[in-house]
């Protein structure tokens, strides 16, 4: 159980660290020709869309399973 908790906590810390790093860097549009050197690590719009799809699919599957 401690190993599982450690993995979840480690993933959460990694995600938070990347988010903080990306939020402190300026946007690639504002940087002009230097955009290649200052890109964010994660495209957060894509992450948001994928997370929404995952939540919707999990909810639909839960409804399907609980109706049996």
């Amino acid at each position: 159980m401690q190993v599982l908790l450690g993995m979840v906590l480690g993933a959460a810390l990694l995600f938070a660290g990347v988010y903080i790093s990306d939020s402190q860097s300026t946007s690639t549009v504002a940087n002009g020709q230097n955009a290649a050197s200052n890109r964010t690590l994660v495209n957060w719009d894509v992450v948001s869309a994928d997370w929404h799809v995952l939540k919707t699919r999990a909810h639909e599957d839960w409804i399907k399973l609980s109706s049996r």
Side-chain angles (χ1 to χ4, degrees):
M1 188 66 173
Q2 290 176 348
V3 172
L4 181 62
L5 180 62
M7 286 185 205
V8 170
L9 183 60
L13 286 173
L14 176 67
F15 185 80
V18 169
Y19 181 78
I20 290 169
S21 172
D22 280 353
S23 66
Q24 290 178 351
S25 67
T26 59
S27 71
T28 56
V29 175
N31 289 335
Q33 291 185 359
N34 296 331
S37 63
N38 292 330
R39 288 189 186 160
T40 59
L41 297 172
V42 177
N43 187 346
W44 294 102
D45 295 333
V46 174
V47 171
S48 175
D50 289 346
W51 181 250
H52 179 69
V53 168
L54 178 69
K55 286 192 316 185
T56 303
R57 186 178 297 163
H59 186 283
E60 290 170 355
D61 289 345
W62 178 256
I63 290 172
K64 206 182 295 184
L65 285 172
S66 62
S67 67
R68 289 184 179 182

